[in-house]
Amino acid sequence: MKTAVFSTKPYDKAFLRAANANEHLKFEFYEERLNHHTAALAQGHAAICAFVNDTLTAHVLDILHGHGVRFIALRCAGFNQVDLRHAATLGIKVARVPAYSPYAVAEFALALILALNRKTHRAYNRIRDGNFSIDGLLGFDLHSSTIGIIGTGKIGVVFATILGGFGVKILGYDPLPHPAFTAAGGTYIERDELFARSDIISLHCPLTPETFHIISEENIERMKKGVMIINTSRGALADTKAIIRGLKSEHIGYLGLDVYEQEADVFYENLSETIIQDDVLQRLISFPNVLVTSHQAYFTETALRNIAETTIANLIACKEEAPLKNEVTVGMLHH
Ligand code: NAD
């Protein structure tokens, strides 16, 4: 089955090729991000393979369908970028990689917390500049602090388990509580109480209409002064302008973002020779207590290998008309 792979970076190509060593599938790799301008590249392919910042709106799906595409293999867990209802109407099946390494993302969330707290990112630059002063690098003991986890699924539970070694109080909010979270030492409470009691809040829920802008002006006001917010989930969980106001008023003390609402135009590209037009992102980056990374929490060898293997298994299942166990269905929008 011929598959057009969008948003391909050299590492994607390498891992997909390695997982397809016996050449069951035929890939055409495109560096282009999928959108209504690039969808025509899929012409002559029965399947496409897409990533987090590819756009799969109704319009793009119509174009893909017109070119013969009947299957979409997502190289990610989240599926908020796909108009699933429209895909179902067109008879296009969608599959994803539901789990490839919850450890990669949970470990990265912890890396953001530790770096922001102890300011290792700033110490690194100071030392390289011959500045051995530690003034301004004062941190706090994580021990005895309270960490609130919003979304206690696969990643949230691993994150809670790792935190178990730090002697912290772990709070969680999830409309579907999981026994594994309680077993990892977490305590479920209501969302507003989590906002009010946590020193650090880490987001591990999917982007849905209910979680859109969960970090809003109103909810920031509920949080402790000096709170640390970590988002390794999806950019639109946070209202970035409200966050900037919170940083300026010092209500938010630290911010770690691996995802950003408008990331699609910027992340994964080397823009060091261009003038970045996104003033909100540039303002965010200018704060000394903000650490922004380019959607790299998933980026480990284990995760890339698992993503490639599951993607290929999904494509082969589709080709052989076998049961599609990682299918994303409209019904999943309500969970
Ligand atoms: P998961 O489906 O195992 O867990 C998500 C949890 O969120 C579930 O327990 C669900 O009940 C809960 N949830 C749903 N609605 C909620 C709400 N309104 N409030 C609080 N919790 C809610 O998913 P996962 O594998 O743990 O991944 C979590 C998210 O991490 C993904 O949706 C994705 O957006 C993000 N992610 C980011 C990266 C990255 O590289 N930065 C990589 C992988 C996943």
Side-chain angles (χ1 to χ4, degrees), residues 77-80 96 98-102 105 150-157 173-178 191 203-208 210-211 214 231-234 237 258-259 268 295-299 335:
F79 47 86
N80 52 280
R96 63 174 179 148
Y100 42 85
S101 174
V105 183
I150 305 219
T152 59
K154 290 179 283 294
I155 296 171
V157 165
Y173 169 73
D174 196 310
L176 287 176
H178 297 271
R191 204 184 69 177
L203 305 178
H204 298 288
C205 54
L207 176 62
T208 63
E210 293 77 48
T211 59
I214 194 170
N231 186 4
T232 56
S233 251
R234 282 292 179 267
L237 294 175
D258 185 50
V259 286
Y268 299 133
H295 208 142
Q296 68 171 91
Y298 78 101
F299 198 51
H335 296 295

Side-chain angles (χ1 to χ4, degrees), residues 14-302:
F15 279 86
L16 280 171
R17 279 194 174 139
N20 189 39
N22 51 15
E23 300 194 10
H24 277 314
L25 299 164
K26 195 166 160 16
F27 290 123
E28 200 78 57
F29 293 105
Y30 297 106
E31 284 176 26
E32 285 81 357
R33 196 149 53 83
L34 173 61
N35 55 39
H36 63 279
H37 297 299
T38 61
L41 292 169
Q43 189 162 21
H45 296 82
I48 65 135
C49 180
F51 197 46
V52 285
N53 289 325
D54 288 316
T55 316
L56 290 141
T57 56
H59 180 40
V60 172
L61 291 170
D62 283 337
I63 301 173
L64 292 174
H65 186 260
H67 287 302
V69 173
R70 296 295 178 266
F71 184 63
I72 295 169
L74 298 173
R75 307 196 290 285
C76 52
F79 47 86
N80 52 280
Q81 72 277 42
V82 189
D83 186 331
L84 279 182
R85 286 193 178 84
H86 198 67
T89 314
L90 296 173
I92 297 179
K93 284 187 183 270
V94 182
R96 63 174 179 148
V97 185
Y100 42 85
S101 174
Y103 308 103
V105 183
E107 289 169 12
F108 195 82
L110 183 69
L112 288 178
I113 292 175
L114 294 174
L116 279 165
N117 175 15
R118 306 305 296 272
K119 304 163 181 67
T120 41
H121 56 304
R122 302 183 64 203
Y124 175 79
N125 285 326
R126 279 192 191 186
I127 301 292
R128 283 169 67 95
D129 198 30
N131 176 359
F132 294 87
S133 159
I134 61 168
D135 192 24
L137 303 185
L138 191 65
F140 60 90
D141 279 17
L142 269 192
H143 186 270
S144 300
S145 65
T146 300
I147 306 200
I149 304 177
I150 305 219
T152 59
K154 290 179 283 294
I155 296 171
V157 165
V158 170
F159 183 55
T161 307
I162 296 172
L163 288 174
F166 282 86
V168 295
K169 171 102 190 128
I170 305 166
L171 302 178
Y173 169 73
D174 196 310
L176 287 176
H178 297 271
F181 177 71
T182 320
T187 306
Y188 280 112
I189 54 171
E190 284 307 311
R191 204 184 69 177
D192 288 356
E193 202 187 336
L194 182 146
F195 286 139
R197 284 178 50 193
S198 302
D199 300 302
I200 298 171
I201 296 170
S202 194
L203 305 178
H204 298 288
C205 54
L207 176 62
T208 63
E210 293 77 48
T211 59
F212 176 78
H213 283 189
I214 194 170
I215 305 298
S216 60
E217 187 105 52
E218 202 184 353
N219 286 337
I220 291 169
E221 274 164 24
R222 295 192 163 100
M223 296 176 196
K224 282 188 180 177
K225 190 168 160 43
V227 64
M228 182 189 293
I229 300 174
I230 303 290
N231 186 4
T232 56
S233 251
R234 282 292 179 267
L237 294 175
D239 176 350
T240 317
K241 289 190 176 140
I243 283 204
I244 289 176
R245 284 191 290 276
L247 285 160
K248 286 171 81 174
S249 69
E250 298 182 27
H251 196 101
I252 298 173
Y254 312 79
L255 174 71
L257 290 187
D258 185 50
V259 286
Y260 165 63
E261 204 168 354
Q262 305 301 333
E263 70 179 50
D265 296 334
V266 184
F267 282 15
Y268 299 133
E269 302 305 327
N270 177 2
L271 302 177
S272 56
E273 302 299 325
T274 61
I275 304 296
I276 292 174
Q277 300 296 324
D278 186 332
D279 294 349
V280 175
L281 178 62
Q282 291 301 86
R283 181 67 182 105
L284 262 187
I285 293 169
S286 74
F287 292 98
N289 50 351
V290 172
L291 192 44
V292 177
T293 51
S294 187
H295 208 142
Q296 68 171 91
Y298 78 101
F299 198 51
T300 65
E301 285 180 18
T302 311

